[in-house]
């Protein structure tokens, strides 16, 4: 009975439907005197292509918000499928959707609910798409929980900027949450502080020293790490652990519990085991709503110029009262992605290459997992292939001063890095 | 893990099964199914609130579906209460939704006790008069000794969002302080078992592994005791002395690998803070509700009084709060760490037992059964006793009848720390404008004509408050409010939906600390402010 439905396409219907937004777009402002309420702005909102990265807790919110802001051409990219633990916040999914691709299900839901919008899903990794794909969008909004993916898209967008061609600059709006806290930021690649510039704001990667796990466990977490890092390969050989498989988690739990009993350590539970091995971050709908709405509000302001957009960072905390802190994060001169100068590091020349490697793994703004090193194209240490690794392994125990001179620039690569890091090391 | 634990895993890590239980027994009333109202409910239905009821007499219009995700084209012309209730209900099969297609005022006329079924009332898109009425009823219900009904009033105007909370009293035990802060190590005043533990380590050992694993708590205790032996039994008093203690610890280090000494060094300043009852907790002990218990006193106040009695019994408590019993991780051998942990835990348990004895005495004196308060409740209370929080909100009536003139003047002057107070004034002035004209500023086509009239309302308000400051509310901002014309913008509705639902979760679970009492967000500048108006 489609003909019974009132059409939403007429101009009169459009202005009623978007009444709140159109007031902003039709009326001039004394606070934002540069804003000119011209009809082209509304047309731009309707035609602009917006990319949403991630269709999880933030992504569901972002898609809904963009659709109800009047954007009509929205794309979403996500490689995940729906898990039952998503249902407490990812409101575009139902129990029956468990196992389906998030991007596809989310897109279908929004298309059905909001008439006139087209959300196009891409069920794949962001790395599967090339620059031609990203070039098509006016604005890119990220709702990811992975640092690695964020570093990749950030480096890609910064790399795409051609100073001669303003169309190559893609505003990147990034949101993230944890529990009652979160942050939203606007990145103008190459112009303002980028994601890599602020890596040092992240907390130190969690992880416990191997000797503690092996020899002096004190916390339930130490026992769980022992079970997953040391005992799993002992018992299961080559078979990789599947942290989504309850049987594997159960095994880890029981193994950790037995070790805890042996050492009189209390507090190993199934839930903690799962939390530690999957690195679970508490997440609720409310916080996702706040951060996603901030991101989309900034996208709206950038697209319409109807108010000043965020320059460039807002932090939110809801643990004790409600607190936001809005500030300008500074671009780093020696940022390995958007900076002009080489990244410098002061390190003792009598320390070994292995000690440098451990340092880079622990350093919050590096967050490397398995770095490889080379000097002027000559490998110092390589994680792979196996033969090369074995041949170069003795270098790990050599002091740096034997491998190169103070002030030399070495290059560091790592699976988590979307670029190779040029690092000038000055011996102290 | 059962299905429910699986579904709620990510939130149970924040508020646990107690918090979840509180959510599941709550019933929320939403007055008017606006975009912001439905966004709030969405964020409460998803984590499994018990029940919600939507009261709205309106029918769905085009502008409703333009900003509210819980309506679609098929909803046009139908009851807004019914349509939103149904689409929200799809979010969680464990939640019960109800709807009433009536106006709240007539509902309250039919049944003045209508609100007593609810834990909390969210009011959106209501006039000041209606807000005062609902707020008054909620407040009165609590005063009359019935269940407390929290009142939450939300406004969205263009790029601005605001929320006001009003509850006579909100007490929180589980405020969730950082784990580091929670550790109460008593380095300055060790109890006997702890002092004996510190003495069990051989600081002259030649075994470097053993030396490098002396727990930092034992290191601090030893250096503190040595210090006192030379300083008339006093702990370091000033900056210089504290630094000297740090230097002493540093000098005890044998190699740079002795991380345990690093840990001791880094915690030394904190260890020099004498253990005391924090001033806000002392104030709480002096509270009339703590002084004069009755049979109707809440568990919170009865346990608070028991803790006070415990603290006053210096022989048992040394004048300190019950020990929290938690310690941070530290470089140590498993055995010595586990032993230290159990020393603190055992002492904490003893303290709980002492407090429990006081609780039982109090219950008996009040004529209540001795099992009215469970030991687990006392345990949690004792653990967080240094971080308790009681918020007494001002009523809406107080805000309007007894304005805080002094604070208002300073909020208006200090645009650095209260940049959004002009927005508060403008929202108040908009209500006054409505009283004068029967519509909100900027609603109609000739919106710019409203600027002067709204400015007039602003001036009147400022005069009432005795504000003489020129340009206290910039006219450009008054113009901006008229530009917004009470338009509903989804992003702002969704932002406020998130903030308000966080606050409601904190109110219902009695965990974490809710804001007091007005929060304003300005989407144009992406900043926010909290005012206790
Ligand atoms: Zn950068």
């Amino acid at each position: 009975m489609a003909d019974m439905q009132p059409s939403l396409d007429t101009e009169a219907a459009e202005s009623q439907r978007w009444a709140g937004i159109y007031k902003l777009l039709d009326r001039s402002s004394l606070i934002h005197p540069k804003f000119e309420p011209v009809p082209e702005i509304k047309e731009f909102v309707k035609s602009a292509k917006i990319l949403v990265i991630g269709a999880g807790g933030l992504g569901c919110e972002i898609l809904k918000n963009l659709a109800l802001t009047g954007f009509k051409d929205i794309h979403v990219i996500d490689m995940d499928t729906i898990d039952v633990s998503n249902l407490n916040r990812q409101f575009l999914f139902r129990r029956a959707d468990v196992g389906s691709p998030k991007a596809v299900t989310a897109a279908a839901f929004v298309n059905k609910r909001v008439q006139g919008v087209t959300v196009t899903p891409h069920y794949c990794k962001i790395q599967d798409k090339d620059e031609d794909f990203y070039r098509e969008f006016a604005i890119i909004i990220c709702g990811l929980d992975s640092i690695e993916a964020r570093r990749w898209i950030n480096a890609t967008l910064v790399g795409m900027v051609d100073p001669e061609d303003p169309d190559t600059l893609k505003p990147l709006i990034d949101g993230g949450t944890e529990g009652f806290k979160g942050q939203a930021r606007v990145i103008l690649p190459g112009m303002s502080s980028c994601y890599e510039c602020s890596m040092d704001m992240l907390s130190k990667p969690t992880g416990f020293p191997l000797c503690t796990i092996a020899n002096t466990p004190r916390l339930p977490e130490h026992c769980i790490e022992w079970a997953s890092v040391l005992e799993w390969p002992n018992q299961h050989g080559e078979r990789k652990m599947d942290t989504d498989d309850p049987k594997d988690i159960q095994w880890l739990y029981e193994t950790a519990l037995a070790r805890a009993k042996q050492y009189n350590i209390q507090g190993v539970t199934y839930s903690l085991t799962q939390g530690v091995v999957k690195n679970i971050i508490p997440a609720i709908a409310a916080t996702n709503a706040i951060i996603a709405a901030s991101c989309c509000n900034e996208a709206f302001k950038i697209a319409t110029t109807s108010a000043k957009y965020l320059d460039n960072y807002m932090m939110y905390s809801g643990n004790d009262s409600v607190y936001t802190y809005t500030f300008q994060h500074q671009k780093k001169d020696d940022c390995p992605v958007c900076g002009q100068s080489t990244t410098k590091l002061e390190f003792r020349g009598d320390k070994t290459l292995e000690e440098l490697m451990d340092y880079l793994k622990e350093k919050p703004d590096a967050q490397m997992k398995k770095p490889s090193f080379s000097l002027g194209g000559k490998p110092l240490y390589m994680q792979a292939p196996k033969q090369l690794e074995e041949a170069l392994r003795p270098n790990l125990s050599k002091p740096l001063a034997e491998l190169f001179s103070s002030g030399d620039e070495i290059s560091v690569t790592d699976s988590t890095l979307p670029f190779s890091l040029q690092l000038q090391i000055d011996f102290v | 893990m059962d299905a429910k634990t699986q579904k709620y895993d990510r939130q149970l890590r924040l508020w646990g099964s107690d918090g979840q239980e509180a959510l599941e027994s709550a019933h929320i009333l939403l007055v008017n199914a606006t975009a912001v109202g439905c966004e709030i409910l969405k964020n409460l239905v998803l984590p499994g609130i018990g029940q919600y009821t939507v009261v709205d007499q309106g029918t769905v219009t085009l502008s409703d579906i333009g900003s509210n995700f819980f309506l679609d084209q098929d909803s046009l012309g139908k009851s807004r209460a019914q349509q939103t209730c149904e689409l929200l209900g799809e979010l969680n099969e464990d939640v019960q939704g109800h709807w009433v297609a009536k106006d709240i005022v007539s509902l309250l006329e039919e049944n003045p006790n209508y609100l007593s079924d609810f834990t909390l009332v969210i009011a959106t898109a209501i006039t000041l008069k209606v807000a005062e009425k609902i707020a008054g009823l909620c407040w009165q219900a609590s005063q009359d000794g019935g269940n407390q009904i929290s009142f939450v009033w939300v406004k969205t105007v263009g790029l601005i969002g605001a929320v006001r909370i009003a509850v006579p009293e909100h007490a929180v035990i589980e405020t969730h302080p950082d784990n580091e802060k929670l550790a109460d190590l008593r380095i300055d005043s060790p109890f006997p078992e702890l002092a004996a533990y510190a003495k069990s380590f051989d600081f002259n050992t030649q075994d470097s592994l053993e030396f490098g694993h002396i727990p930092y708590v034992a290191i601090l205790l030893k250096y503190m005791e040595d210090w006192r032996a030379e300083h008339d039994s006093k702990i370091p008093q000033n900056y210089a002395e504290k630094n000297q203690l740090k230097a002493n610890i540093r000098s005890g280090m044998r190699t740079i690998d002795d991380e345990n000494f690093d840990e001791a060094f880094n915690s030394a300043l904190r260890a020099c803070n004498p253990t005391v009852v924090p001033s806000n907790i002392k104030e709480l002990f002096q509270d009339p509700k703590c002084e004069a218990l009755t049979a109707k006193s809440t568990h919170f106040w009865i346990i608070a009084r028991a803790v006070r009695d415990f603290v006053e019994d210096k022989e048992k408590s040394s004048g300190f709060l019950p020990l929290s019993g938690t310690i941070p991780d530290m470089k140590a051998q498993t055995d010595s760490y586990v032993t230290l942990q159990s020393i603190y835990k055992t002492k904490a348990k003893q303290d709980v037992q002492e407090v429990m004895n006081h609780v039982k005495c109090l219950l008996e004196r009040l004529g209540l059964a001795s099992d009215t308060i469970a030991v687990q409740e006392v345990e949690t209370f004792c653990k967080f006793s240094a971080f308790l929080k009681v918020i007494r909100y001002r009523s809406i009536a107080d805000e309007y009848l007894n304005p805080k003139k002094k604070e208002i003047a300073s909020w208006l002057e200090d645009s650095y720390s209260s940049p959004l107070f002009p927005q508060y004034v403008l929202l108040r002035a908009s209500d006054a404008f409505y009283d004068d004209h029967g519509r909100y500023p900027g609603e109609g086509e000739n919106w710019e004509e409203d600027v002067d009239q709204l400015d007039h309302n602003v001036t009147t308000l400022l005069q009432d408050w005795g504000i003489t400051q020129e340009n206290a509310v910039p006219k450009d901002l008054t113009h901006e409010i008229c530009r917004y014309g009470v338009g509903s913008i989804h992003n702002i509705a969704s932002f406020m939906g998130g903030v308000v639902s966080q606050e409601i979760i904190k109110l219902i679970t009695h965990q974490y600390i809710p804001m007091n009492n007005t929060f304003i967000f300005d989407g144009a500048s992406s900043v926010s402010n909290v005012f206790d108006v």
Side-chain angles (χ1 to χ4, degrees), chain A residues 174-335:
Chain A
D174 179 59
T177 71
E178 175 169 0
F180 287 95
K181 298 178 180 174
Q183 80 283 332
R185 65 189 296 189
V186 172
I187 295 169
L188 300 180
M191 292 174 66
S192 64
S193 152
C194 82
Y195 187 74
E196 201 68 31
C197 287
S198 61
M199 283 293 287
D200 55 0
M201 285 171 74
L202 296 172
S203 46
K204 218 172 146 183
T206 46
F208 304 100
L210 211 59
C211 59
T212 301
I213 299 169
N215 305 321
T216 56
R218 297 177 295 268
L219 304 181
E221 287 86 349
H222 296 155
C223 302
I224 296 164
E225 286 278 294
W226 179 81
S228 71
V229 177
L230 297 173
E231 229 8 48
W232 179 275
N234 263 348
Q235 301 287 321
H236 297 85
E238 289 292 292
R239 186 167 91 76
K240 273 191 96 181
M241 178 192 323
D242 175 6
T243 55
D244 287 326
D245 184 347
K247 281 203 294 289
D248 285 3
I249 299 283
Q250 185 67 27
W251 184 89
L252 289 170
Y253 163 59
E254 284 166 12
T255 309
L257 191 65
R259 182 167 172 88
K261 273 218 173 98
Q262 184 194 334
Y263 282 94
N264 264 318
I265 296 168
Q266 286 170 4
V268 172
T269 62
Y270 185 90
S271 160
L272 184 71
T273 307
Q274 207 182 24
V276 171
V277 298
K278 293 180 77 169
N279 191 19
I280 291 178
I281 295 164
I284 54 170
T287 318
N288 285 330
I290 296 164
I291 297 305
S294 301
C295 291
C296 296
N297 184 42
E298 298 310 327
F300 170 74
K301 291 189 286 181
I302 290 173
T304 62
T305 68
S306 60
K308 223 177 78 200
Y309 58 81
L310 171 67
D311 181 24
N312 48 30
Y313 207 114
M314 185 189 87
M315 288 203 289
Y316 183 94
S317 170
N319 279 35
D320 182 350
S321 185
V322 183
Y323 174 75
T324 62
Y325 177 51
T326 304
F327 66 101
Q328 190 181 49
H329 189 273
Q330 295 298 319
K331 202 164 178 289
K332 254 169 72 177
D333 252 0
D334 63 347
C335 168

Side-chain angles (χ1 to χ4, degrees), chain A residues 5-8 12-13 16-21 23-25 27-32 35 61 64-66 68-69 83-92 94-95 109-110 112-115 179-181 208 212 215-219 222 263-266 270-272 274-276 278 280-287 289-294 296-298 300-301 306-310 314 316-324 326 348 351, chain B residues 1 3-4 6-11 13-15 39 42-43 46-47 62-74 76 87 90-91 93-94 158-159 175-176 178 213 256 328-335 337-338 341 345 389 442-448 475-477 479-480 482-492 494-495 497-499 501-503 505-506 512-516 519 521-530:
Chain A
Q5 299 230 331
S7 166
L8 299 188
Q16 280 182 50
R17 185 177 175 196
W18 305 113
I21 288 169
K23 275 181 188 144
L24 229 67
L25 300 185
R27 299 174 175 185
S28 60
S29 165
L30 298 177
I31 303 270
H32 313 283
F35 169 66
E61 287 280 348
K64 170 200 68 157
N65 297 347
L66 291 175
L68 290 182
T69 300
D83 180 78
V84 66
S85 66
N86 300 147
L87 301 178
N88 81 327
R89 61 198 186 283
Q90 302 180 12
F91 60 94
L92 303 175
R94 303 289 173 263
R95 209 168 263 280
F109 193 105
V110 175
K112 183 164 171 282
R113 179 64 56 89
V114 185
Q115 200 251 342
F180 287 95
K181 298 178 180 174
F208 304 100
T212 301
N215 305 321
T216 56
R218 297 177 295 268
L219 304 181
H222 296 155
Y263 282 94
N264 264 318
I265 296 168
Q266 286 170 4
Y270 185 90
S271 160
L272 184 71
Q274 207 182 24
V276 171
K278 293 180 77 169
I280 291 178
I281 295 164
I284 54 170
T287 318
I290 296 164
I291 297 305
S294 301
C296 296
N297 184 42
E298 298 310 327
F300 170 74
K301 291 189 286 181
S306 60
K308 223 177 78 200
Y309 58 81
L310 171 67
M314 185 189 87
Y316 183 94
S317 170
N319 279 35
D320 182 350
S321 185
V322 183
Y323 174 75
T324 62
T326 304
R348 279 169 54 170
K351 292 261 181 185
Chain B
M1 263 208 304
K4 209 161 96 180
Q6 264 181 45
K7 180 164 85 170
Y8 293 143
D9 178 77
R10 299 302 185 269
Q11 70 202 45
R13 292 172 193 274
L14 289 174
W15 54 68
E39 286 296 310
K42 174 195 87 207
N43 303 329
L46 286 163
L62 276 168
S63 78
D64 291 331
I65 67 168
S67 68
N68 192 330
F69 194 71
F70 297 95
L71 292 171
D72 64 9
Q73 206 176 352
D74 296 338
L76 281 170
L87 290 185
E90 290 175 3
L91 297 176
E93 65 268 23
D94 297 325
L159 292 177
T175 47
H176 292 265
D178 295 343
H213 281 82
I256 53 160
D329 186 30
M330 60 194 81
K331 184 108 185 281
Q333 298 285 3
T334 303
D335 284 350
Y337 182 80
V338 171
Q341 202 175 31
K345 271 192 185 159
K389 183 91 184 173
E443 250 185 299
E445 289 291 317
N446 302 323
W447 63 281
E448 274 179 302
K475 198 151 177 198
D476 289 0
L477 199 59
H479 180 272
E480 189 75 0
C482 294
R483 177 192 181 205
Y484 297 159
V486 290
S488 172
I489 291 177
H490 184 78
N491 289 328
I492 302 303
S494 190
F495 183 96
V499 173
S501 54
Q502 269 199 0
E503 295 309 292
I505 287 168
K506 293 191 251 173
Y512 302 91
I513 304 171
M515 67 89 189
N516 180 15
F519 168 84
F521 175 67
D522 175 30
S525 55
S526 315
V527 301
S528 78
N529 251 175
V530 171

